[in-house]
Amino acid sequence: MKILEKLHALALGQQTSDIVVTSTGCTRSEHFKVEINEQIQPGTIAVYRLKPDYCRRAPMPLKLTLKLEVPIDTTRDWVIMNETKAQALQR
């Protein structure tokens, strides 16, 4: 089962992607998969959760680094398919 994950943040590199997701204590990087579609312009990137986090800790943001299956061209335009959680900027 794969679910399109809501993201707090996403940073793309050529070989890895840093994501911030909600965890209740049992979330690991291997619970996620990044799917990249370069066949269309702009390309699409989607981050899926493969395993739910059933722990009962208070929800908190968690930063994870995911290895990408194929190198990504960071110079082209991309559309992120995931919903994002809005956060207020502190000034």
Side-chain angles (χ1 to χ4, degrees):
M1 170 175 75
K2 65 181 188 179
I3 298 170
L4 200 58
E5 183 72 5
K6 288 183 182 178
L7 301 176
H8 292 271
L10 170 73
L12 293 171
Q14 290 184 330
Q15 302 290 328
T16 62
S17 172
D18 290 334
I19 62 172
V20 179
V21 297
T22 299
S23 173
T24 54
C26 297
T27 298
R28 298 181 171 271
S29 59
E30 56 266 18
H31 297 168
F32 294 89
K33 178 179 177 138
V34 179
E35 291 187 1
I36 300 167
N37 183 350
E38 296 180 292
Q39 304 304 315
I40 58 176
Q41 182 61 29
T44 62
I45 297 173
V47 179
Y48 290 95
R49 183 184 285 265
L50 305 175
K51 184 177 178 183
D53 183 342
Y54 291 122
C55 288
R56 297 185 290 183
R57 186 172 165 183
M60 64 177 194
L62 176 67
K63 180 181 176 185
L64 300 169
T65 299
L66 308 177
K67 284 192 171 190
L68 301 177
E69 293 179 5
V70 294
I72 191 169
D73 180 358
T74 56
T75 63
R76 71 177 280 182
D77 292 331
W78 295 95
V79 173
I80 308 303
M81 304 304 293
N82 299 70
E83 192 175 329
T84 58
K85 294 187 177 213
Q87 296 179 0
L89 295 176
Q90 294 186 3
R91 295 181 186 245

